[in-house]
Structures are given as C-alpha cells and as structure tokens.
C-alpha cells in the first residue's frame, strides 16, 4: 500500500519493512476507531505476505510516539 496524503494512517513497504505512520500530530497521534481498523487490516495483510519481515510503527510530528 502506498502513502495516502492527509490520511490518519499512512502505510508504506520498503524492501522487507512495512511502515505504519500515525498521522494525527495535532492530537499527539492518538488512535481512533477508524485508525485501529486500518492498522488491523494492514497488519493482517502483511502477516500473510512472506515478503514483509518487519514492521515499524511511528508517529508524524515531533511529539506523540
């Protein structure tokens, strides 16, 4: 999955690294229900894909994860 501008959860796969970026810096990247569902779906998809070995979860902005 490629990054989506202005999405609350952005995902990117680089090589064998799957990245999840929480993109709500004004709310200190606090999770909401839609974000949790998106992260769950992405992690389940990556779990079934042998090409993805590692997952990095980080937050946008300078604070909050």
């Amino acid at each position: 999955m490629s990054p989506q501008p202005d999405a609350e959860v952005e995902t990117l796969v680089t090589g064998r690294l799957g990245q999840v970026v929480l993109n709500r810096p004004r709310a200190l990247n606090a999770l909401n229900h839609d974000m949790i569902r998106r992260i769950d779906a992405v992690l389940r998809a990556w779990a079934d894909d042998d090409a993805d070995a590692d997952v990095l979860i980080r937050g946008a902005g300078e604070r909050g994860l």
Side-chain angles (χ1 to χ4, degrees):
M1 295 184 174
S2 60
Q4 299 173 347
D6 299 323
E8 291 180 332
V9 175
E10 298 175 358
T11 59
L12 175 67
V13 176
T14 307
R16 294 179 51 92
L17 177 65
Q19 297 183 55
V20 175
V21 180
L22 307 179
N23 191 23
R24 289 185 67 203
R26 290 185 192 168
L28 300 179
N29 294 311
L31 296 174
N32 61 36
H33 191 252
D34 290 334
M35 292 172 72
I36 292 168
R37 288 193 336 217
R38 171 117 170 100
I39 293 167
D40 179 61
V42 168
L43 293 178
R44 287 177 188 271
W46 288 347
D48 293 335
D49 187 351
D50 292 336
D52 299 324
D54 299 305
V55 174
L56 171 68
I57 299 177
R58 61 187 174 92
E62 296 182 16
R63 301 179 352 174
L65 192 75

